[in-house]
Amino acid sequence: MYVQIKPEHEKFVREQVSTGLFADESDVVHEALEAMRMNEEYTTEQISQFRQAVAQGLGDYEAGRIVPFDAEKMISEERRKKGG
């Protein structure tokens, strides 16, 4: 496979190799691709968890299991707990 990259990316890859963290340019590209793959998987998992949390929250709302949120009260309580 042959891939052409922008000059600024080529410079970045060479800089990464020069740090000694990577043996060669291929190692840098492999690491970058692995990071992209992991990020994609993580994002898919996050979306699933978010949807589950939203569904649970809507269910709690519909069932009347909610408490009004009062930020000032919460802050005051935390300050009181900390002695301030």
Side-chain angles (χ1 to χ4, degrees), residues 2 5 9 15 26 32 40-41 45 64 69 74:
Y2 173 78
I5 61 174
H9 292 147
E15 288 170 352
S26 291
E40 185 176 286
E41 288 176 3
E45 184 178 326
F69 177 74
M74 182 180 284

Side-chain angles (χ1 to χ4, degrees), residues 20-49:
L21 294 173
F22 301 94
D24 56 29
E25 290 86 356
S26 291
D27 282 350
V28 177
V29 173
H30 289 280
E31 185 73 23
L33 291 171
E34 181 64 18
M36 286 176 60
R37 186 185 64 76
M38 289 177 66
N39 185 50
E40 185 176 286
E41 288 176 3
Y42 184 66
T43 302
T44 301
E45 184 178 326
Q46 277 185 315
I47 290 169
S48 176
Q49 290 174 352

Side-chain angles (χ1 to χ4, degrees), residues 3-15:
V3 178
Q4 190 171 11
I5 61 174
K6 295 178 181 179
E8 61 267 23
H9 292 147
E10 184 176 345
K11 179 181 178 214
F12 178 76
V13 168
R14 290 190 178 164
E15 288 170 352

